[in-house]
Amino acid sequence: MGALCDFCGEQRSMVYCRSDAASLCLSCDRNVHSANALSRRHTRTLLCDRCASQPAMVRCLVENASLCQNCDWNGHSAGSSAAGHKRQTINCYSGCPSSSELSKIWTFVSDIPNVAPEPNCEQGISMMSISDSGVSNQDNAAGDSSLLDIASATLMSDLGTAGKPKSLIGSSSEAGVNLLPLATDQMAGSVDSTSAKVPYTADQDMFSKDSIYEDFCVDDVDLSFENYEELFGTSHIQTEQLFDDAGIDSYFESKEIPSGNSDEQPKLMQPVTSNAVSADSGMSIPGAKDYQDCGVSPVLLMGEPPWHPPGPEGSFAGATRDDAITRYKEKKKRRKFDKKIRYASRKARADVRKRVKGRFVKAGEAYDYDPLCETRSY
DNA sequence: ACCCGCCGGTGCGCCACAGACTTGG
DNA sequence: ATCCAAGTCTGTGGCGCACCGGCGG
């Protein structure tokens, strides 16, 4: 069963907020993120069905499960029996959507509980719009159906084949609910190319609407980060490899990857710069610290999991790669890419604490930086 | 080939303080 | 064994500085 809400500790957590590093029930999500303009900008997404501790990034249509990147990779890695499963991206959102609006964002979730509207958010909801989805559904009769257009999530192959995916970030009205498509890996063989470019609508419910949470359960194991590798095997290391110095550039290149499905045409990997999220986070590779903002790891931005056997025109040979991996691992020891917020309350305090040259100052003393209003006391 | 200065990327320490944790009665 | 108070420790984010490697002169 999924974890309880980090905020109320009573309801089942359903969404994950990267900014707060918190799993929240929908009620608390609305309460917490209606507090102020900044919190409304927090991007949230569904919680991973499998590990229940990380933000889900893709929806496996076969398993009816929302998966975080690690669970996705572990479950659908090349060579596994599930490698060919169709998956689609899961959009994250910001603002204060109602339960009905969320149900449009995530059409595959059938048990979104009703959430009382937050007075602070009324305006935001009414202004909600998506103006530049790139995937439209003009036929949708629902009044605020613009949500659904994107929402429903783009088939993964859309991202893989679209020439220039448009950024959704910033396209919506200021106070509205922003839907932020999660970038995905276009894992070889994972998508049936014949189904690409078919905008998903509620009428095309190609996958069961049975509760995705009916099997929302994981073994009773500690899912803390401490035993991450124990739980997820090699994925952590694989992630590390991504930032391999020599490998970075190669991932920026468009390259063909071998398909796990022999019937498919090889897919071109998209350059990172085409990814919507990169624009949002201002992320720079390899110093990507901001990848967590929308639940998008740089790994996904790179397209292909780095441990995937390089294509014929792979940019580096095995020995060079090994060297680079070794170098990266040495660097990794000194870095904190995987910083995990252990105490959200402390983070919340630090986020609003006044500073002088970056250092916290005593309450009431002069400061030169106030995170809340960016004013100076002198 | 070697040295030097410049530049950008990166890591680390600092700060206050709430809350978690430990210890002793 | 349990409770409580007091003391100690931890972790949080932005900034400045030091360090490092790459590059050009």
Side-chain angles (χ1 to χ4, degrees):
Chain A
M1 186 56 192
L4 293 177
C5 171
D6 286 346
F7 194 79
C8 66
E10 296 174 356
Q11 301 293 318
R12 184 193 68 200
S13 56
M14 195 162 178
V15 300
Y16 188 88
C17 174
R18 284 271 186 178
S19 300
D20 294 329
S23 304
L24 302 169
C25 65
L26 290 184
S27 177
C28 291
D29 175 50
R30 282 184 62 84
N31 289 335
V32 169
H33 292 106
S34 63
N36 55 56
L38 289 179
S39 61
R40 273 194 286 275
R41 294 182 189 175
H42 290 182
T43 53
R44 288 96 71 195
T45 188
L46 278 171
L47 205 55
C48 174
D49 285 355
R50 192 153 296 172
C51 67
S53 63
Q54 294 293 304
M57 309 183 75
V58 299
R59 173 82 179 168
C60 176
L61 306 186
V62 177
E63 302 170 24
N64 274 333
S66 305
L67 303 172
C68 66
Q69 88 183 30
N70 283 300
C71 293
D72 180 39
W73 288 350
N74 279 285
H76 299 101
S77 59
S80 75
S81 59
H85 285 182
K86 286 183 186 176
R87 279 115 68 216
Q88 61 181 166
T89 59
I90 295 177
N91 289 299
C92 54
Y93 65 94
S94 60
C96 307
S98 68
S99 52
S100 64
E101 288 157 347
L102 283 175
S103 68
K104 292 174 182 175
I105 298 173
W106 300 319
T107 54
F108 41 78
V109 180
S110 62
D111 60 342
I112 294 178
N114 282 330
V115 179
E118 199 63 30
N120 293 348
C121 290
E122 291 294 348
Q123 184 183 7
I125 293 168
S126 65
M127 295 173 67
M128 180 168 53
S129 67
I130 300 295
S131 59
D132 194 16
S133 71
V135 181
S136 65
N137 177 13
Q138 305 297 334
D139 296 337
N140 197 310
D144 51 353
S145 61
S146 57
L147 272 177
L148 194 55
D149 298 344
I150 313 183
S152 32
T154 315
L155 280 174
M156 295 177 70
S157 51
D158 288 352
L159 283 175
T161 55
K164 294 180 181 178
K166 295 178 181 177
S167 171
L168 299 175
I169 289 83
S171 63
S172 300
S173 55
E174 184 177 349
V177 173
N178 296 324
L179 294 176
L180 311 174
L182 292 174
T184 68
D185 57 335
Q186 293 95 31
M187 199 172 288
S190 63
V191 175
D192 179 357
S193 60
T194 60
S195 63
K197 297 185 181 298
V198 179
Y200 177 80
T201 71
D203 295 332
Q204 295 172 288
D205 203 349
M206 63 181 76
F207 43 87
S208 167
K209 281 196 170 185
D210 290 343
S211 169
I212 65 168
Y213 289 107
E214 68 184 46
D215 55 358
F216 187 96
C217 58
V218 293
D219 292 337
D220 253 344
V221 294
D222 182 5
L223 291 174
S224 68
F225 247 68
E226 280 68 18
N227 55 7
Y228 184 98
E229 291 193 17
E230 178 183 334
L231 281 169
F232 298 110
T234 61
S235 60
H236 194 199
I237 295 174
Q238 290 160 350
T239 302
E240 294 173 1
Q241 292 175 356
L242 168 76
F243 296 101
D244 180 291
D245 290 346
I248 296 297
D249 290 344
S250 68
Y251 287 107
F252 280 85
E253 301 168 1
S254 294
K255 60 182 179 180
E256 282 188 347
I257 56 174
S259 170
N261 182 342
S262 58
D263 295 331
E264 292 182 14
Q265 294 296 322
K267 295 177 176 57
L268 282 179
M269 304 307 295
Q270 292 301 314
V272 169
T273 51
S274 70
N275 189 287
V277 177
S278 63
D280 178 46
S281 62
M283 182 168 71
S284 64
I285 305 292
K289 295 178 182 177
D290 297 332
Y291 66 86
Q292 45 187 337
D293 190 29
C294 191
V296 180
S297 111
V299 178
L300 293 186
L301 295 172
M302 299 304 178
E304 176 190 8
W307 64 92
H308 196 282
E313 64 275 37
S315 55
F316 44 79
T320 304
R321 176 178 178 79
D322 288 344
D323 290 344
I325 290 173
T326 301
R327 270 185 282 122
Y328 170 72
K329 285 181 178 178
E330 289 173 354
K331 275 187 175 181
K332 178 67 171 60
K333 291 177 183 176
R334 303 190 299 269
R335 295 183 185 176
K336 294 182 178 179
F337 278 137
D338 54 351
K339 184 175 184 179
K340 168 79 172 180
I341 301 300
R342 294 174 59 186
Y343 299 102
S345 60
R346 293 177 181 180
K347 172 180 167 55
R349 284 199 60 80
D351 282 339
V352 301
R353 184 161 290 161
K354 298 175 176 62
R355 308 160 190 270
V356 171
K357 291 184 178 179
R359 298 183 179 187
F360 299 131
V361 297
K362 291 181 181 178
E365 292 193 354
Y367 57 89
D368 65 5
Y369 174 68
D370 182 351
L372 290 181
C373 55
E374 298 190 15
T375 59
R376 295 168 189 269
S377 64
Y378 57 89

